[in-house]
Amino acid sequence: MAATLKDVALAAGVSIKTVSNVINDYEHIRADTKQRVMDAIADLGYSPNLSARSLRSGRTGVIGLAVPELSLSYFAELADSTIKAAERRGLKVLIEQTGGDRSRELEILSSPRLQMTDGLLFSPLGMSNEDADHLNVNFPLVLLGERIFGGPTDHVTMSNVDSARAATEHLISRGRRRIAVVGGHEGEVIGSAGLRLRGYRQALDAAGIPFDPDLVAYTTLWHRANGATSMRELLASGVGFDALFGMNDTLALGAMRVLQEAGLRIPDDVAVIGFDDLDEGRYSLPTLSTIDPGRDEIADTAVRVLQERISGRVGGVPPREFEARFQVIERESSALARSH
Amino acid sequence: MAATLKDVALAAGVSIKTVSNVINDYEHIRADTKQRVMDAIADLGYSPNLSARSLRSGRTGVIGLAVPELSLSYFAELADSTIKAAERRGLKVLIEQTGGDRSRELEILSSPRLQMTDGLLFSPLGMSNEDADHLNVNFPLVLLGERIFGGPTDHVTMSNVDSARAATEHLISRGRRRIAVVGGHEGEVIGSAGLRLRGYRQALDAAGIPFDPDLVAYTTLWHRANGATSMRELLASGVGFDALFGMNDTLALGAMRVLQEAGLRIPDDVAVIGFDDLDEGRYSLPTLSTIDPGRDEIADTAVRVLQERISGRVGGVPPREFEARFQVIERESSALARSH
DNA sequence: CGCCTATCCTACAACGTTGTAGAATCACCA
DNA sequence: TGGTGATTCTACAACGTTGTAGGATAGGCG
């Protein structure tokens, strides 16, 4: 059906290797030979068989991206950035959804199913630091996210502690002292929740505000529903607060919804800041202050680093850690209150 | 480095073909031979080289999904559903972003870059019905979306006209007669915007409500920003309305935001319904009534149909058209007003 | 006992590409 | 004139898998 090197070679009256050389821009080819080959390629509508090329070269030009779920906006936007970054480097992206499930994550690390890729960008959610050993795999792997630190692979992450601290400081600078949190993970030390909580506490400490555990609402997932539920619990508990730090925008939006149902004004009664800079927060009512975690930079760095590892250019280099730059984005939900 | 059939064969003391047969569940293998081979496979940590398998079999087990952008929630959720549907059928998904750009879309149809896939699920945005010829490609292709009808390929679509009609009828059933629309595409006949507008007009006609062109706001993109801008224009124009049909949820949410800024109550002053059933609409304030377009059904059908074409089981069958079932989902934004 | 079929296994070729080795031609210089 | 090196091209093998053809053994039947 499809034309092969052989067909082109026959049509152009040269050997298949010469056709191959033309395709791969080999230097020493006579101009007229090259032209004849190119014409034959065009005539026959030839395009290389990538499976054969992969088999021969050991490279597929495809990288894997394993994320919990694309229906979580953060990961959809991360996938978007990653695909664009990969494209700039001539790579395709094959997406794998783990559902944030630890056993599925481990399976992906050991499974032969991703043999079709040259390497993997891996954003675990269910795994924890004790699982770091499982990252010792025999294919190029770059770790994303905040579940595991000090593992055996390159790691690209956001500045969770610093940016959460900046978010909290932003609320404090608005005169708030009772700052509630939604999205905590009970007992977690590292992981997005643990790290962001640490940044939160650093900011409180620096401002001389005592930490009140009752202000922290714990939840397993970070969906809108969890933000809403947590906020209902906080309100029901009767603990007073004048600000809210949502561990991500989705949680914050779910919580805002409940706050407003309860008749509280934002930011007058409760100032709110989220985390992730989702497009959604630009059009919520009120618009949502947030942390821009540097998603494009993360994706670009991750793809670059993975490509370095694939090419073997950085063979002996020990695991590296990269932190993206963040930014506090102030919108209406934490604007200076009009009157006080 | 990695073990091959040859290594396993050597270790198990059989021919490579026997190992291959074990892997492919060939019937006639003695139990003890099979066991020995399986042990050797486990020992060596063997896993098949998929490039070689693809080269030999002509199948990669990967399908392409070309969508405008994953940062648009609808396509993120579609990708999610598609990946899950593909997984149920043992397929992987390689995602391509077109940005909704016609020339990029055409390029993807002719490019050799997707040779690594067995077929393509294609959701164009920039192409129009005149481009239908370009869908005549020599690889399995299933068309998604509403840009092209009657093309040369299988087509999976939502019931745009009927569901938009149902959405409009829903607003009419709430006693509304001046129903604004955001998201129209000037002069478009087919395409999501054209079809949904047709459904809208059908509902008006059936109810004996005259069509007022001033109630339709046109926009190129369907982002939040466009919904907001369109709503500002509608309000500035002074045209009166008591309901809003957003061509998708994102537009509707952007528009709601502006309505509320303007001091209008939803649904009391303006009842709103969107389209797509994004998770976001469940936690907006107010929650957003919408159309569930049957995304899972679309993804599942599309993958099934593509697989049928890939396998050649339906060789001679002419292009088929599939319409997913939809559902009106009523939430607060179009609830019966409390008092009137 | 001889024939036939079913079972179990093997050797070989092929998928389409690229790396290696080397042949053929030419230009240049001593 | 012959040697040297650059240029241009070719033949062959190999990547790891599966399809084809067929060999060897065992069991059933006349």
Side-chain angles (χ1 to χ4, degrees), chain A:
Chain A
M1 188 65 201
T4 71
L5 279 187
K6 207 166 150 186
D7 302 325
V8 177
L10 203 68
V14 295
S15 75
I16 60 169
K17 186 64 227 254
T18 298
V19 181
S20 170
N21 284 339
V22 169
I23 290 168
N24 294 291
D25 283 327
Y26 180 65
E27 276 180 311
H28 302 303
I29 304 177
R30 267 210 321 266
D32 65 320
T33 311
K34 187 165 179 171
Q35 192 54 52
R36 245 178 8 207
V37 170
M38 306 260 271
D39 289 350
I41 288 177
D43 274 4
L44 298 173
Y46 167 81
S47 71
N49 179 312
L50 298 188
S51 296
R53 182 176 278 179
S54 302
L55 173 58
R56 185 63 239 237
S57 69
R59 296 278 162 72
T60 62
V62 177
I63 60 176
L65 171 66
V67 293
E69 271 197 72
L70 288 183
S71 54
L72 300 175
S73 303
Y74 175 77
F75 293 107
E77 301 202 5
L78 178 66
D80 177 342
S81 298
T82 302
I83 291 175
K84 283 173 182 153
E87 197 180 330
R88 285 194 292 273
R89 301 188 133 80
L91 298 170
K92 299 261 157 215
V93 178
L94 201 144
I95 295 181
E96 188 91 44
Q97 297 192 116
T98 63
D101 182 52
R102 176 171 173 276
S103 63
R104 277 221 51 179
E105 290 171 354
L106 294 179
E107 195 192 339
I108 281 175
L109 289 178
S110 63
S111 150
R113 308 181 62 190
L114 55 87
Q115 291 285 21
M116 191 133 286
T117 59
D118 294 337
L120 179 66
L121 298 178
F122 187 56
S123 179
L125 199 59
M127 286 172 65
S128 61
N129 230 44
E130 295 115 54
D131 296 315
D133 284 350
H134 288 99
L135 298 177
N136 255 316
V137 294
N138 59 357
F139 53 86
L141 178 65
V142 170
L143 182 67
L144 301 177
E146 288 69 42
R147 296 294 303 166
I148 298 174
F149 284 85
T153 65
D154 288 336
H155 183 192
V156 183
T157 176
M158 45 179 84
S159 307
N160 281 278
V161 179
D162 290 350
S163 53
R165 175 173 177 158
T168 311
E169 281 167 348
H170 171 72
L171 294 173
I172 294 172
S173 78
R174 291 293 175 267
R176 313 300 167 128
R177 316 249 322 158
R178 300 281 300 161
I179 303 173
V181 176
V182 296
H185 286 167
E186 202 94 43
E188 188 180 280
V189 177
I190 66 171
S192 310
L195 295 170
R196 292 178 196 175
L197 195 62
R198 192 188 309 167
Y200 164 81
R201 295 192 59 166
Q202 282 183 3
L204 294 186
D205 288 353
I209 302 174
F211 171 67
D212 178 354
D214 291 343
L215 283 171
V216 181
Y218 294 95
T219 174
T220 49
L221 296 176
W222 280 4
H223 293 204
R224 281 180 193 80
N226 306 102
T229 305
S230 293
M231 183 45 71
R232 276 194 205 97
E233 288 166 8
L234 281 171
L235 290 173
S237 76
V239 61
F241 55 92
D242 55 13
L244 169 69
F245 172 34
M247 292 265 183
N248 78 1
D249 283 356
T250 318
L251 283 166
L253 290 163
M256 283 215 304
R257 150 85 197 179
V258 171
L259 280 170
Q260 289 171 308
E261 268 176 2
L264 292 161
R265 290 163 306 158
I266 302 171
D268 303 63
D269 299 321
V270 180
V272 179
I273 189 167
F275 200 112
D276 278 351
D277 190 23
L278 299 185
D279 190 44
E280 198 178 332
R282 274 166 239 224
Y283 295 92
S284 57
L285 186 70
T287 55
L288 179 63
S289 297
T290 190
I291 297 290
D292 167 8
R295 198 164 32 241
D296 282 342
E297 187 185 341
I298 289 174
D300 201 70
T301 305
V303 173
R304 176 173 60 75
V305 168
L306 183 59
Q307 200 174 37
E308 282 173 8
R309 291 291 179 182
I310 290 171
S311 72
R313 280 198 300 272
V314 289
V317 179
R320 295 166 295 175
E321 193 96 11
F322 300 88
E323 264 202 0
R325 280 172 300 247
F326 68 91
Q327 218 178 337
V328 177
I329 298 188
E330 181 190 328
R331 300 210 186 92
E332 292 164 359
S333 69
S334 68
L336 277 172
R338 279 149 277 178
S339 61
H340 244 300

Side-chain angles (χ1 to χ4, degrees), chain B residues 4-24 37 41 46:
Chain B
T4 72
L5 278 187
K6 208 166 150 185
D7 303 324
V8 177
L10 204 68
V14 296
S15 74
I16 59 168
K17 186 66 226 248
T18 298
V19 181
S20 170
N21 285 338
V22 169
I23 291 167
N24 295 290
V37 171
I41 288 177
Y46 167 81

Side-chain angles (χ1 to χ4, degrees), chain B residues 14-15 17-18 28-30 33 55-56:
Chain B
V14 296
S15 74
K17 186 66 226 248
T18 298
H28 303 304
I29 304 178
R30 264 207 326 261
T33 311
L55 172 60
R56 187 61 241 236

Side-chain angles (χ1 to χ4, degrees), chain B residues 132-177:
Chain B
D133 284 351
H134 288 99
L135 297 177
N136 255 316
V137 292
N138 60 357
F139 53 86
L141 178 64
V142 170
L143 181 67
L144 300 177
E146 289 67 43
R147 296 294 304 168
I148 298 173
F149 283 85
T153 67
D154 289 335
H155 183 192
V156 183
T157 176
M158 45 180 83
S159 307
N160 281 278
V161 178
D162 290 351
S163 53
R165 175 173 177 160
T168 311
E169 281 168 348
H170 171 74
L171 294 172
I172 294 172
S173 78
R174 293 291 176 265
R176 314 299 166 129
R177 316 247 324 155

